[in-house]
């Protein structure tokens, strides 16, 4: 079996491949179809979702992405052999080449926005009616109040996310925004940012943090462009 | 209020990511990407949904442990909303 880490523009140089051991310290290798490459290593067994394997997957990709366009593979991508990899590169060549062009010169930055403690919209007591209101009209009144609060929270989160996105999006080539992915998180977003604008982007996050005092903003990255990869034709089964 | 976390899993020692709540949040950011995004080259992604859930459950427990340790030390406490999994 082989384990795929990333799609690259051409094949990475041998010294780069030699400098980044793969899962279980297996050496990396590369295949190319025309100008599109793939980096992989041979494995004896499938990867486990352990901290060690996940970090190794990320370490390999971050090493490979220095100085070259790269599309990271999802963790757990296992193929039968090199011939299967060549086949996938061939049938998806156009989409992969376009995907590499799209992210060329860019990195992904993450922005996670949480309600701050003082401004939290989360109230665990809201999740269920109180024991004393479990029957009849009282129950329905509690449920109606909860529904009003839920809608109000959703509206407020949507408005905040739109305002933040208006501030950050102009610094980016593309963006993916999820509003209220969990009760504690107002917005989880990923932006594809040109490398020469990452400083400007981070400054805007800092400005937003100062402007929205009831929110906690976390800017992470630079990441490989996980959110900005093409969908491919994949043989199933 | 904002925080800026520079990720560099290629060179950082793993120990640096072990206990800081912000690094654990960054680990969650990493999991969101590695397990759920990226190019799908194969129809045989080897992880089951249950496996992925277990990774998240493990991190939730770790985050809780970090926060409890901080409270016991009387250190700067982050509000609970900052240390929960997405």
């Amino acid at each position: 079996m082989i384990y795929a880490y990333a799609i690259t523009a051409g094949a990475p140089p041998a010294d780069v491949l030699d400098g980044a051991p793969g899962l279980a310290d297996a050496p990396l290798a590369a295949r190319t179809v025309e100008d599109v490459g793939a980096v992989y290593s041979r494995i004896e067994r499938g990867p486990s979702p352990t901290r060690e394997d996940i970090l190794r997957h990320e370490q390999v990709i971050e090493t490979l992405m220095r100085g070259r366009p790269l599309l990271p593979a999802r963790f757990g991508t296992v193929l039968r052999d090199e011939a299967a990899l060549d086949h996938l590169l061939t049938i998806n060549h156009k989409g992969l080449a376009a995907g590499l062009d799209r992210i060329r010169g860019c990195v992904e930055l993450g922005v996670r926005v949480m309600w701050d403690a003082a401004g939290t919209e989360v109230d665990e007591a809201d999740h269920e009616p109180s024991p004393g209101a479990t029957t009849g009209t009282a129950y329905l009144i509690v449920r109606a109040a909860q529904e009003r609060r839920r809608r109000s929270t959703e509206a407020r989160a949507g408005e905040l996310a739109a305002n933040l996105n208006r501030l950050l999006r102009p610094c980016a080539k593309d963006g993916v925004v999820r509003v209220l992915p969990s009760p504690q998180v107002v917005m989880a977003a990923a932006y594809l940012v040109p490398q020469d604008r990452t400083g400007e982007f981070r400054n805007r996050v800092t400005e937003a943090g100062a402007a929205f005092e009831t929110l906690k903003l976390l800017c992470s990255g630079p990441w490989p462009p996980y959110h900005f990869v093409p969908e491919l034709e994949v043989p199933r089964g | 209020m904002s925080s800026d976390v520079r990720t560099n899993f290629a060179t950082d020692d793993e120990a640096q990511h072990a206990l800081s709540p912000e690094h654990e949040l960054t680990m969650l950011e990493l999991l969101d990407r590695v397990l759920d995004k990226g190019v799908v080259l194969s129809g045989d992604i080897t992880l089951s949904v249950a496996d992925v859930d277990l990774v998240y459950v493990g991190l939730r427990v770790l985050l809780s442990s970090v926060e409890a340790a901080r409270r016991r030390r009387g250190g700067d406490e982050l509000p609970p909303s900052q240390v929960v999994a997405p």
Side-chain angles (χ1 to χ4, degrees):
Chain A
M1 292 189 296
I2 63 173
Y3 182 89
Y5 299 90
I7 302 297
T8 54
D15 63 324
V16 173
L17 296 176
D18 291 344
L23 295 180
D25 291 332
L28 299 184
R31 310 281 292 185
T32 56
V33 171
E34 299 180 37
D35 53 346
V36 173
V39 176
Y40 69 97
S41 64
R42 299 206 70 83
I43 54 172
E44 299 299 319
R45 58 173 181 81
S48 304
T50 59
R51 191 183 183 102
E52 180 186 5
D53 279 1
I54 288 170
L55 285 175
R56 180 58 61 90
H57 172 97
E58 177 69 6
Q59 286 165 348
V60 167
I61 292 171
E62 288 193 16
T63 300
L64 295 172
M65 73 182 279
R66 292 175 189 156
R68 70 185 54 78
L70 168 150
L71 299 170
R74 186 171 300 184
F75 183 82
T77 299
V78 174
L79 300 166
R80 189 179 65 253
D81 54 21
E82 284 85 349
L85 182 57
D86 288 349
H87 176 65
L88 285 164
L89 293 179
T90 300
I91 63 174
N92 288 292
H93 181 271
K94 186 177 176 183
L96 290 171
L100 287 165
D101 280 344
R102 180 186 180 213
I103 56 88
R104 194 179 299 274
C106 297
V107 294
E108 179 176 316
L109 293 179
V111 178
R112 186 169 292 259
V113 182
M114 290 151 286
W115 307 109
D116 206 351
T120 184
E121 300 286 314
V122 180
D123 184 350
E124 293 298 328
D126 279 354
H127 292 176
E128 294 297 333
S130 67
T134 53
T135 58
T137 305
Y139 176 88
L140 293 174
I141 288 172
V142 170
R143 277 296 188 199
Q146 289 172 345
E147 181 62 14
R148 281 196 298 276
R149 279 196 291 275
R150 186 185 65 78
R151 289 182 184 176
S152 170
T153 299
E154 285 180 359
R156 182 155 178 244
E159 185 180 346
L160 287 168
N163 287 337
L164 288 166
N165 191 50
R166 264 195 293 277
L167 186 65
L168 301 175
R169 183 65 178 77
C171 292
K173 188 175 178 182
D174 203 350
V176 176
V177 178
R178 286 180 294 154
V179 179
L180 217 57
S182 71
Q184 296 87 356
V185 179
V186 180
M187 165 179 136
Y191 291 93
L192 186 65
V193 182
Q195 282 175 320
D196 60 359
R197 299 192 72 179
T198 56
E200 181 187 357
F201 185 92
R202 290 179 190 280
N203 288 340
R204 290 206 180 196
V205 174
T206 302
E207 290 168 14
F212 296 90
E213 291 183 347
T214 61
L215 302 178
K216 163 78 176 172
L217 279 73
L218 175 75
C219 182
S220 66
W223 300 100
Y226 282 103
H227 283 79
F228 305 97
V229 300
E231 287 189 22
L232 303 181
E233 180 184 338
V234 176
R236 296 281 167 188
Chain B
M1 183 167 36
S2 71
S3 299
D4 190 10
V5 178
R6 311 252 173 173
T7 56
N8 191 341
F9 291 97
T11 57
D12 280 3
D13 187 276
E14 259 186 53
Q16 290 182 354
H17 296 280
L19 286 176
S20 154
E22 289 210 333
H23 276 142
E24 293 305 331
L25 268 175
T26 306
M27 189 69 187
L28 289 174
E29 291 277 322
L30 171 65
L31 292 177
D32 266 353
R33 288 167 169 78
V34 171
L35 300 179
D36 192 40
K37 304 295 176 189
V39 175
V40 177
L41 278 172
S42 166
D44 301 322
I45 295 287
T46 58
L47 299 179
S48 70
V49 172
D51 285 337
V52 173
D53 284 347
L54 283 175
V55 174
Y56 275 89
V57 168
L59 270 166
R60 282 173 196 270
V61 171
L62 178 56
L63 287 171
S64 301
S65 302
V66 170
E67 192 56 22
R70 288 170 69 91
R71 277 198 293 271
R72 280 197 297 274
R73 284 205 311 268
D76 293 333
E77 184 177 341
L78 292 171
S81 61
Q82 293 181 39
V83 289
V84 295

